[in-house]
Amino acid sequence: MSKVLIIEDEEAIAELEKDYLELSGFEVEIENNGETGLNRALKEDFDMFILDLMLPGVDGFEICKRIREVKNTPVLMVSAKKDDIDKIRGLGLGADDYITKPFSPSELVARVKAHLARYERLIGSNVQENDIIEIRGIKIDKTARRVWVNDEEKPFTTKEFDLLVFLAQNPNHVFTKEELFKEIWDMESIGDIATVTVHIKKIREKIEMNTAKPQYIETIWGVGYRFKL
Ligand code: CA
């Protein structure tokens, strides 16, 4: 359920707004003072703010400005004077909408719904960024499971990719073949640790300029491998 905070010193108006919004299925809280309203707006999680301009304590201009410094939550500003709306716009406070008193409650509800819907679409469309590791010319996109070496994409098998990611995520740490085998193949007793050697060789062919002098995956003789940072 969407939660709306009304910051309004005229209690009758605040109650009217609350009633109509609750009838439309919103959860509504009221603050009649600018200072407490601002505190709650900053500290608590609301989905929308309905903010009166003239308030005791801190006024609506200041509250809107302070909210915008830390939140993108929609703000609908309410004012008693039409002139104030131009003033609010001119100040560029970041309010999403303005409404003048007196207004019809259904108009208010319609606007709140529209802004919430728009805001939810905005949040929903925020595609999560891919998890990427970049080390000296190598770019590993863990989310898309793709690897580029100096901007050229290289094909990796599943195990080659897992092994490269594991080593790159734990740079400067020497792993024995047994440890790598256990980590990537996850079968302690089955298989051959020589598989690790074969895979390291294949990875090197893709990422190293000179496989005889590896710059990324070093062989630590008698121990194992290390990804050099
Ligand atoms: Ca007022």
Side-chain angles (χ1 to χ4, degrees):
M1 194 192 286
S2 295
K3 227 173 130 183
V4 179
L5 177 65
I6 297 170
I7 307 176
E8 167 69 70
D9 58 324
E10 286 174 71
E11 288 180 33
I13 291 180
E15 287 299 332
L16 184 72
E17 291 174 353
K18 185 174 191 261
D19 288 347
Y20 272 82
L21 288 166
E22 282 180 346
L23 280 172
S24 296
F26 296 103
E27 196 184 324
V28 183
E29 302 272 337
I30 296 174
E31 282 300 330
N32 297 124
N33 177 283
E35 206 157 336
T36 49
L38 175 60
N39 274 335
R40 290 195 68 187
L42 295 179
K43 280 187 193 139
E44 295 176 34
D45 263 341
F46 288 97
D47 301 295
M48 175 132 191
F49 300 110
I50 297 175
L51 181 57
D52 183 35
L53 193 57
M54 294 321 231
L55 289 163
V58 186
D59 70 17
F61 292 111
E62 180 68 16
I63 294 174
C64 187
K65 201 179 106 207
R66 298 277 302 276
I67 289 173
R68 273 296 164 268
E69 284 168 3
V70 288
K71 293 183 182 196
N72 294 317
T73 314
V75 176
L76 170 61
M77 292 199 79
V78 179
S79 94
K81 289 184 277 178
K82 270 213 163 59
D83 293 353
D84 282 339
I85 290 185
D86 294 330
K87 202 171 155 195
I88 302 167
R89 284 209 174 98
L91 285 169
L93 296 170
D96 297 84
D97 204 356
Y98 320 89
I99 197 166
T100 43
K101 293 175 185 170
F103 50 82
S104 79
S106 49
E107 166 77 13
L108 178 86
V109 170
R111 291 202 192 192
V112 169
K113 278 184 179 169
H115 284 288
L116 276 170
R118 196 179 61 89
Y119 186 59
E120 272 153 24
R121 276 201 305 277
L122 206 71
I123 292 172
S125 68
N126 272 354
V127 179
Q128 280 243 290
E129 275 186 34
N130 283 11
D131 194 353
I132 289 171
I133 304 172
E134 273 193 279
I135 301 166
R136 288 180 286 122
I138 297 181
K139 184 172 144 188
I140 306 165
D141 185 331
K142 284 172 65 189
T143 316
R145 298 184 67 88
R146 296 168 76 182
V147 179
W148 291 263
V149 179
N150 297 321
D151 294 322
E152 194 191 336
E153 188 170 3
K154 304 282 180 174
F156 272 70
T157 66
T158 305
K159 292 298 179 196
E160 287 166 7
F161 184 86
D162 291 345
L163 185 55
L164 175 66
V165 167
F166 180 73
L167 288 167
Q169 281 190 143
N170 299 282
N172 293 335
H173 183 121
V174 182
F175 293 97
T176 64
K177 287 175 192 171
E178 287 81 3
E179 285 171 330
L180 293 173
F181 187 78
K182 200 178 156 189
E183 185 65 41
I184 305 303
W185 281 266
D186 198 28
M187 295 176 286
E188 264 180 275
S189 52
I190 316 158
D192 184 355
I193 59 161
T195 310
V196 176
T197 317
V198 173
H199 279 74
I200 292 283
K201 184 172 175 282
K202 285 182 179 164
I203 294 170
R204 279 182 175 153
E205 283 164 5
K206 293 169 194 182
I207 66 171
E208 300 283 2
M209 291 282 281
N210 178 357
T211 52
K213 286 183 182 171
Q215 298 299 303
Y216 299 102
I217 300 174
E218 288 179 299
T219 300
I220 310 299
W221 292 108
V223 188
Y225 301 101
R226 169 173 69 186
F227 196 102
K228 214 157 71 169
L229 195 61

